[in-house]
Amino acid sequence: MARPTEFQGSFLSRISIRRNQIVSMDVNHEHELEELEYFQKHVAERFSELITSPSPHHSSSSLSDAAAVSHPSDPILSIPWLQNLLDVFMSCEAEFKAVLSTTQISKSQSLERVLPEMLDRILKALDLCNAVVNGIDSVRQSRRLAEIAVTALKQRPLCDGSVRRAKRALTSLLIGLNADERRDRNSGGSGSSNQRRTTSRSWSFGTRSNVTGGGSYGQVVSKNWSATKQIQAMVANLVLPRGAEASGPVMPVYIMSSVMVLVMWVLVAAVPCQTSSILVAPLPLPKHQSWASAAVNIQERIGEEMKRKEKRCGGGGGLMEEMQRMEKIGLSLMEFAERFRYPADEEEEAEVAEKVDEMEEICRGLEVGLEDLQRQVRQVFHRLVRSRIEIVSVLDQAPAI
């Protein structure tokens, strides 16, 4: 029979072990709270930069002189601003992985639930990156059409043949930019602009696709693919954590998922992509939380741009700032081409020359800017592929933790 002192020693030992476990849990929880607070602060600061500071990508060649004067920082949805947005996304993603690396996933059932959901969002984001990469190619085509019009309208003396060449290029340009969508709708047209706008390629990785080897572009064609539907699917089960989860490891996953959805939505809004309808605000961000304040501001401002374009020409196309300026100038030049009679009025010809110069400046900016933007979207694509591999690895190791 065991002596009373043995029972006492065993009991005290169990108490000591339990006390150490509680202390360890408290220390881990405090560390998680510190990591969460730092991550939220990082997200808040980086997104605030997008609405307050000039872009390091800014170049005098990327914007017209007039635009550079009127905007102390890069206009929202301009190419330099979009490059900054992608910089912010990759910065937040790096911080998120740092937070995730300190989390004990096996001790959080909620985390084991939301991380697979995040993996699915990453797959959809990969699809969207592909769509944006190909959408940028369509903007290049618009630039080429604008350059044809510029070359034709720079001919002197300006004659009927040059103006006809410019008019043909401008017609195709405005169809591509959807500026004539309202005219087609009002005239009961056959929707040629819609046919021109719809691309023949679309992308879908699916849950069984091989994204462990670095990923590739344009894997599977699907006629029903829609950028809008992809974003809606990303948001479907994205719910703000409440109660104890709001201060636990689930919160960084929610924040990073929200950032991912917002960034993909902005890209799809800016660059012409295969989509079923004009996009609306993708998700109800918690504006009362500090990390989301600037993101809400961005979402609201882009929503206003959408409403303005919807009112002006029935929506459609991309909201990229350079494209909108190209569309505005293109409409003005088209009006000139339609009423042109040789010889041109000298005063009107001088006014047109100014617009042609501005269009030429936009084309020069797009030539370099689109290449840089496309390269950066590809970088995001490969970063997401690596992140997915790392999260899968963490989940696979969870039972052994």
Side-chain angles (χ1 to χ4, degrees):
M1 177 180 290
R3 291 189 298 273
T5 53
E6 291 178 354
F7 282 119
Q8 185 178 9
S10 176
F11 178 68
L12 291 175
S13 176
R14 289 198 299 270
I15 291 177
S16 177
I17 292 172
R18 178 61 178 161
R19 183 183 297 117
N20 290 336
Q21 289 175 339
I22 293 172
V23 170
S24 177
M25 289 174 62
D26 288 341
V27 170
N28 288 336
H29 185 60
E30 288 178 6
H31 181 64
E32 287 178 355
L33 288 175
E34 290 175 358
E35 290 289 332
L36 174 59
E37 183 179 356
Y38 177 81
F39 181 55
Q40 289 178 324
K41 182 180 179 182
H42 181 81
V43 173
E45 290 177 348
R46 291 309 312 268
F47 271 90
S48 295
E49 293 171 8
L50 292 171
I51 55 178
T52 58
S53 301
S55 163
H57 295 285
H58 176 76
S59 169
S60 59
S61 63
S62 64
L63 294 171
S64 68
D65 293 340
V69 170
S70 61
H71 297 282
S73 61
D74 294 313
I76 191 168
L77 293 172
S78 66
I79 289 177
W81 187 90
L82 292 170
Q83 289 180 270
N84 263 356
L85 175 72
L86 295 179
D87 281 342
V88 168
F89 173 77
M90 288 190 283
S91 174
C92 292
E93 192 269 346
E95 289 299 328
F96 168 72
K97 286 195 292 188
V99 172
L100 192 63
S101 67
T102 65
T103 303
Q104 292 182 308
I105 295 177
S106 62
K107 296 184 178 181
S108 174
Q109 293 182 350
S110 298
L111 200 57
E112 289 183 323
R113 183 192 76 249
V114 299
L115 280 178
E117 294 173 353
M118 187 175 192
L119 292 177
D120 187 58
R121 289 189 197 100
I122 291 175
L123 286 177
K124 292 176 172 59
L126 293 175
D127 277 354
L128 291 166
C129 285
N130 276 329
V132 171
V133 165
N134 286 274
I136 290 172
D137 286 336
S138 73
V139 182
R140 282 199 180 94
Q141 178 61 21
S142 295
R143 176 182 63 81
R144 294 187 190 103
L145 292 168
E147 288 176 337
I148 292 171
V150 165
T151 301
L153 293 175
K154 275 182 166 289
Q155 299 297 318
R156 291 295 181 271
L158 197 57
C159 62
D160 289 330
S162 297
V163 174
R164 279 197 300 270
R165 285 195 298 275
K167 187 176 179 179
R168 285 195 296 269
L170 290 169
T171 299
S172 297
L173 171 65
L174 294 174
I175 286 174
L177 296 175
N178 306 307
D180 63 342
E181 183 173 346
R182 177 182 293 176
R183 187 182 350 175
D184 283 347
R185 194 166 57 240
N186 291 343
S187 63
S190 61
S192 61
S193 64
N194 291 335
Q195 294 170 4
R196 184 78 66 91
R197 186 173 66 251
T198 302
T199 60
S200 60
R201 289 183 295 177
S202 57
W203 310 266
S204 180
F205 282 94
T207 55
R208 295 184 180 181
S209 299
N210 177 22
V211 293
T212 60
S216 59
Y217 301 96
Q219 297 225 350
V220 180
V221 175
S222 172
K223 293 180 180 179
N224 297 324
W225 191 91
S226 162
T228 299
K229 289 179 181 178
Q230 291 288 96
I231 292 173
Q232 289 171 341
M234 292 175 75
V235 176
N237 55 2
L238 186 56
V239 181
L240 176 67
R242 300 187 183 280
E245 288 188 350
S247 59
V250 173
M251 192 63 184
V253 177
Y254 169 79
I255 294 173
M256 192 62 225
S257 293
S258 298
V259 168
M260 187 191 311
V261 172
L262 180 64
V263 170
M264 292 300 129
W265 173 74
V266 172
L267 289 176
V268 170
V271 179
C273 293
Q274 186 171 331
T275 186
S276 56
S277 62
I278 191 167
L279 295 165
V280 294
L283 73 161
L285 291 166
K287 60 176 66 179
H288 62 282
Q289 296 191 9
S290 60
W291 68 267
S293 178
V296 169
N297 185 307
I298 291 169
Q299 184 171 263
E300 289 176 347
R301 288 174 63 181
I302 293 175
E304 292 170 1
E305 289 291 332
M306 290 178 175
K307 291 175 183 177
R308 277 194 287 269
K309 186 162 188 182
E310 174 71 23
K311 185 177 180 180
R312 187 173 71 249
C313 60
L319 293 173
M320 185 185 292
E321 191 267 347
E322 291 84 353
M323 291 180 65
Q324 294 199 68
R325 285 194 288 130
M326 183 181 287
E327 176 186 310
K328 183 179 179 181
I329 297 170
L331 285 168
S332 178
L333 294 176
M334 176 63 85
E335 290 175 1
F336 167 77
E338 288 179 340
R339 65 173 182 267
F340 175 79
R341 295 293 182 273
Y342 181 82
D345 178 77
E346 290 185 5
E347 184 177 345
E348 187 174 36
E349 190 172 299
E351 292 176 1
V352 168
E354 291 182 5
K355 289 182 170 59
V356 169
D357 288 343
E358 188 175 352
M359 182 74 89
E360 187 176 31
E361 181 70 18
I362 295 172
C363 291
R364 273 199 296 268
L366 287 174
E367 185 175 8
V368 176
L370 290 175
E371 185 70 29
D372 292 342
L373 180 62
Q374 195 172 56
R375 185 184 304 112
Q376 202 165 358
V377 174
R378 288 192 173 109
Q379 289 174 355
V380 169
F381 178 96
H382 291 295
R383 175 73 72 87
L384 287 171
V385 170
R386 289 195 299 271
S387 294
R388 192 174 191 280
I389 294 170
E390 291 167 8
I391 293 174
V392 168
S393 176
V394 169
L395 285 172
D396 289 343
Q397 296 173 15
I401 295 178

Short mmCIF file of all heavy atoms in Angstrom, two decimals, residues 145 147-155 157-172 334 337:
data_model
loop_
_atom_site.label_atom_id
_atom_site.label_comp_id
_atom_site.label_asym_id
_atom_site.label_seq_id
_atom_site.Cartn_x
_atom_site.Cartn_y
_atom_site.Cartn_z
N LEU A 145 -4.35 50.35 -81.16
CA LEU A 145 -5.37 51.05 -81.94
C LEU A 145 -5.26 52.56 -81.74
O LEU A 145 -5.39 53.34 -82.69
CB LEU A 145 -6.76 50.56 -81.54
CG LEU A 145 -7.09 49.11 -81.94
CD1 LEU A 145 -8.36 48.64 -81.23
CD2 LEU A 145 -7.24 48.99 -83.45
N GLU A 147 -2.55 54.17 -81.02
CA GLU A 147 -1.35 54.62 -81.73
C GLU A 147 -1.62 54.78 -83.23
O GLU A 147 -1.08 55.71 -83.86
CB GLU A 147 -0.22 53.62 -81.50
CG GLU A 147 0.36 53.67 -80.10
CD GLU A 147 1.41 52.60 -79.87
OE1 GLU A 147 1.38 51.58 -80.61
OE2 GLU A 147 2.24 52.75 -78.96
N ILE A 148 -2.43 53.89 -83.80
CA ILE A 148 -2.79 54.03 -85.22
C ILE A 148 -3.54 55.34 -85.45
O ILE A 148 -3.26 56.08 -86.41
CB ILE A 148 -3.65 52.83 -85.67
CG1 ILE A 148 -2.81 51.55 -85.67
CG2 ILE A 148 -4.24 53.08 -87.06
CD1 ILE A 148 -3.62 50.29 -85.90
N ALA A 149 -4.48 55.63 -84.55
CA ALA A 149 -5.24 56.88 -84.67
C ALA A 149 -4.33 58.10 -84.51
O ALA A 149 -4.45 59.09 -85.25
CB ALA A 149 -6.36 56.91 -83.64
N VAL A 150 -3.41 58.02 -83.57
CA VAL A 150 -2.47 59.13 -83.34
C VAL A 150 -1.62 59.38 -84.59
O VAL A 150 -1.47 60.53 -85.05
CB VAL A 150 -1.58 58.83 -82.13
CG1 VAL A 150 -0.37 59.77 -82.10
CG2 VAL A 150 -2.36 58.95 -80.83
N THR A 151 -1.07 58.31 -85.15
CA THR A 151 -0.24 58.44 -86.34
C THR A 151 -1.01 59.07 -87.49
O THR A 151 -0.51 59.96 -88.20
CB THR A 151 0.32 57.07 -86.77
OG1 THR A 151 1.09 56.52 -85.69
CG2 THR A 151 1.20 57.19 -88.00
N ALA A 152 -2.26 58.62 -87.69
CA ALA A 152 -3.08 59.14 -88.78
C ALA A 152 -3.41 60.61 -88.59
O ALA A 152 -3.36 61.41 -89.53
CB ALA A 152 -4.36 58.32 -88.90
N LEU A 153 -3.73 61.01 -87.35
CA LEU A 153 -4.14 62.39 -87.09
C LEU A 153 -2.96 63.35 -86.97
O LEU A 153 -3.17 64.56 -86.88
CB LEU A 153 -5.01 62.45 -85.82
CG LEU A 153 -6.37 61.74 -85.95
CD1 LEU A 153 -7.10 61.74 -84.61
CD2 LEU A 153 -7.23 62.43 -87.02
N LYS A 154 -1.74 62.82 -86.97
CA LYS A 154 -0.57 63.69 -86.97
C LYS A 154 -0.13 64.06 -88.38
O LYS A 154 0.77 64.88 -88.56
CB LYS A 154 0.58 63.00 -86.22
CG LYS A 154 0.56 63.19 -84.70
CD LYS A 154 1.76 62.53 -84.06
CE LYS A 154 1.93 63.00 -82.64
NZ LYS A 154 2.37 64.40 -82.53
N GLN A 155 -0.74 63.43 -89.40
CA GLN A 155 -0.39 63.73 -90.78
C GLN A 155 -0.74 65.18 -91.12
O GLN A 155 -1.78 65.69 -90.72
CB GLN A 155 -1.13 62.79 -91.73
CG GLN A 155 -0.81 61.31 -91.55
CD GLN A 155 0.65 61.00 -91.84
OE1 GLN A 155 1.22 61.50 -92.81
NE2 GLN A 155 1.25 60.18 -91.00
N PRO A 157 -0.61 67.90 -94.56
CA PRO A 157 -1.92 68.40 -94.13
C PRO A 157 -2.87 67.25 -93.82
O PRO A 157 -2.75 66.15 -94.40
CB PRO A 157 -2.40 69.18 -95.35
CG PRO A 157 -1.73 68.51 -96.52
CD PRO A 157 -0.39 68.08 -96.01
N LEU A 158 -3.79 67.49 -92.91
CA LEU A 158 -4.76 66.48 -92.53
C LEU A 158 -5.78 66.31 -93.64
O LEU A 158 -6.46 67.26 -94.03
CB LEU A 158 -5.45 66.91 -91.22
CG LEU A 158 -6.20 65.83 -90.44
CD1 LEU A 158 -5.29 64.67 -90.08
CD2 LEU A 158 -6.79 66.44 -89.17
N CYS A 159 -5.89 65.08 -94.19
CA CYS A 159 -6.76 64.85 -95.34
C CYS A 159 -7.81 63.80 -95.02
O CYS A 159 -7.79 63.16 -93.96
CB CYS A 159 -5.93 64.43 -96.55
SG CYS A 159 -5.05 62.88 -96.29
N ASP A 160 -8.73 63.59 -95.96
CA ASP A 160 -9.83 62.64 -95.74
C ASP A 160 -9.31 61.22 -95.48
O ASP A 160 -9.83 60.51 -94.62
CB ASP A 160 -10.75 62.63 -96.96
CG ASP A 160 -11.56 63.91 -97.08
OD1 ASP A 160 -11.85 64.50 -96.02
OD2 ASP A 160 -11.90 64.30 -98.20
N GLY A 161 -8.30 60.80 -96.21
CA GLY A 161 -7.76 59.45 -96.05
C GLY A 161 -7.21 59.22 -94.65
O GLY A 161 -7.46 58.17 -94.03
N SER A 162 -6.45 60.18 -94.13
CA SER A 162 -5.88 60.05 -92.78
C SER A 162 -6.98 59.99 -91.74
O SER A 162 -6.91 59.19 -90.79
CB SER A 162 -4.94 61.22 -92.49
OG SER A 162 -3.85 61.23 -93.38
N VAL A 163 -7.98 60.84 -91.89
CA VAL A 163 -9.07 60.87 -90.92
C VAL A 163 -9.87 59.57 -90.97
O VAL A 163 -10.31 59.06 -89.94
CB VAL A 163 -9.98 62.09 -91.16
CG1 VAL A 163 -11.20 62.05 -90.25
CG2 VAL A 163 -9.19 63.38 -90.92
N ARG A 164 -10.06 59.01 -92.17
CA ARG A 164 -10.78 57.73 -92.26
C ARG A 164 -10.01 56.62 -91.56
O ARG A 164 -10.60 55.78 -90.86
CB ARG A 164 -11.00 57.36 -93.74
CG ARG A 164 -12.19 58.07 -94.37
CD ARG A 164 -12.61 57.37 -95.66
NE ARG A 164 -11.54 57.36 -96.66
CZ ARG A 164 -11.35 58.31 -97.57
NH1 ARG A 164 -12.16 59.37 -97.61
NH2 ARG A 164 -10.37 58.23 -98.45
N ARG A 165 -8.68 56.59 -91.71
CA ARG A 165 -7.87 55.59 -91.00
C ARG A 165 -8.00 55.77 -89.50
O ARG A 165 -8.14 54.79 -88.76
CB ARG A 165 -6.40 55.69 -91.43
CG ARG A 165 -6.11 55.12 -92.81
CD ARG A 165 -4.62 54.91 -93.02
NE ARG A 165 -3.88 56.17 -92.96
CZ ARG A 165 -3.71 57.00 -93.98
NH1 ARG A 165 -4.24 56.71 -95.16
NH2 ARG A 165 -3.00 58.10 -93.85
N ALA A 166 -7.95 57.02 -89.06
CA ALA A 166 -8.10 57.30 -87.63
C ALA A 166 -9.48 56.88 -87.12
O ALA A 166 -9.61 56.29 -86.04
CB ALA A 166 -7.87 58.79 -87.36
N LYS A 167 -10.51 57.14 -87.94
CA LYS A 167 -11.87 56.80 -87.53
C LYS A 167 -12.04 55.30 -87.38
O LYS A 167 -12.69 54.82 -86.43
CB LYS A 167 -12.86 57.36 -88.55
CG LYS A 167 -14.31 57.22 -88.13
CD LYS A 167 -15.23 57.89 -89.15
CE LYS A 167 -16.69 57.72 -88.74
NZ LYS A 167 -17.61 58.38 -89.71
N ARG A 168 -11.47 54.51 -88.29
CA ARG A 168 -11.57 53.06 -88.19
C ARG A 168 -10.89 52.56 -86.91
O ARG A 168 -11.42 51.70 -86.20
CB ARG A 168 -10.95 52.40 -89.42
CG ARG A 168 -11.80 52.48 -90.68
CD ARG A 168 -11.30 51.50 -91.73
NE ARG A 168 -9.95 51.84 -92.19
CZ ARG A 168 -9.68 52.63 -93.23
NH1 ARG A 168 -10.67 53.19 -93.92
NH2 ARG A 168 -8.42 52.87 -93.58
N ALA A 169 -9.72 53.10 -86.63
CA ALA A 169 -9.00 52.69 -85.42
C ALA A 169 -9.75 53.11 -84.16
O ALA A 169 -9.84 52.34 -83.19
CB ALA A 169 -7.59 53.30 -85.42
N LEU A 170 -10.30 54.32 -84.17
CA LEU A 170 -11.03 54.82 -83.01
C LEU A 170 -12.31 54.02 -82.77
O LEU A 170 -12.69 53.77 -81.62
CB LEU A 170 -11.36 56.30 -83.18
CG LEU A 170 -10.18 57.27 -83.10
CD1 LEU A 170 -10.59 58.66 -83.57
CD2 LEU A 170 -9.63 57.32 -81.67
N THR A 171 -12.96 53.61 -83.84
CA THR A 171 -14.17 52.79 -83.71
C THR A 171 -13.84 51.48 -82.99
O THR A 171 -14.53 51.09 -82.03
CB THR A 171 -14.78 52.49 -85.09
OG1 THR A 171 -15.16 53.71 -85.71
CG2 THR A 171 -16.01 51.59 -84.95
N SER A 172 -12.79 50.81 -83.43
CA SER A 172 -12.37 49.56 -82.78
C SER A 172 -11.92 49.81 -81.35
O SER A 172 -12.20 49.00 -80.44
CB SER A 172 -11.24 48.90 -83.57
OG SER A 172 -11.67 48.54 -84.87
N MET A 334 -13.21 61.02 -82.10
CA MET A 334 -14.21 60.42 -82.97
C MET A 334 -15.22 61.48 -83.43
O MET A 334 -15.62 61.51 -84.61
CB MET A 334 -14.93 59.28 -82.25
CG MET A 334 -16.06 58.65 -83.07
SD MET A 334 -15.49 57.88 -84.61
CE MET A 334 -15.03 56.28 -83.99
N ALA A 337 -13.59 63.37 -86.12
CA ALA A 337 -13.49 62.61 -87.36
C ALA A 337 -14.83 62.53 -88.09
O ALA A 337 -14.88 62.57 -89.33
CB ALA A 337 -12.98 61.20 -87.05
#
